[in-house]
Amino acid sequence: MKLLNALLVQSGDCVAFVGGGGKTAAIFRLASELQSSGQRVIITTTTRMALDEMRRIPAALAVGSPAVFPADLDAELDRARVLFLYSHAQAQKVVGLSPAEIHSLAQHFKVPPTIL
């Protein structure tokens, strides 16, 4: 069974993963399934993720930069289909976005992406 069917994920949903293990693998599996079904997907973290893990995603942007605008994110998401967004890198980890930042960014997309 596909994870997207088991979780009943719809386009535009925001899905949070919590727990003691397997979160990153589940996120990447779900992102792949969603991408294969034609959906656009944003992956982020509200904590930290290892830089090596983030590099498994073909497109990543630091949104802490004032040079990044919502229209740029939308265009990049159209191109890449899966996009990892983070605030900044620190000590071999990327620092994610706050829930408020995620909510604010989601309001700017022409077609709401699924957020993991």
Side-chain angles (χ1 to χ4, degrees):
M1 171 179 263
K2 289 190 174 188
L3 194 52
L4 80 100
N5 295 334
L7 298 176
L8 302 174
V9 177
Q10 303 285 322
S11 180
D13 284 353
C14 185
V15 181
F17 287 79
V18 297
K23 293 179 299 293
T24 301
I27 288 167
F28 289 158
R29 177 178 166 188
L30 182 56
S32 177
E33 291 176 8
L34 290 165
Q35 180 184 24
S36 293
S37 74
Q39 293 189 44
R40 301 178 333 148
V41 181
I42 289 177
I43 298 173
T44 192
T45 177
T46 56
T47 58
R48 291 170 170 55
M49 184 181 283
L51 244 133
D52 289 343
E53 294 290 348
M54 183 202 70
R55 290 185 181 130
R56 294 174 46 191
I57 302 162
L61 287 173
V63 295
S65 164
V68 177
F69 299 101
D72 297 332
L73 294 176
D74 210 31
E76 183 63 20
L77 191 54
D78 278 344
R79 184 193 67 73
R81 307 306 292 175
V82 176
L83 181 60
F84 187 91
L85 300 180
Y86 62 101
S87 172
H88 62 281
Q90 176 182 22
Q92 297 301 314
K93 293 195 180 247
V94 290
V95 178
L97 307 177
S98 71
E101 289 171 310
I102 294 166
H103 178 74
S104 176
L105 279 172
Q107 306 305 308
H108 295 286
F109 290 98
K110 63 182 181 192
V111 175
T114 301
I115 301 173
L116 310 177

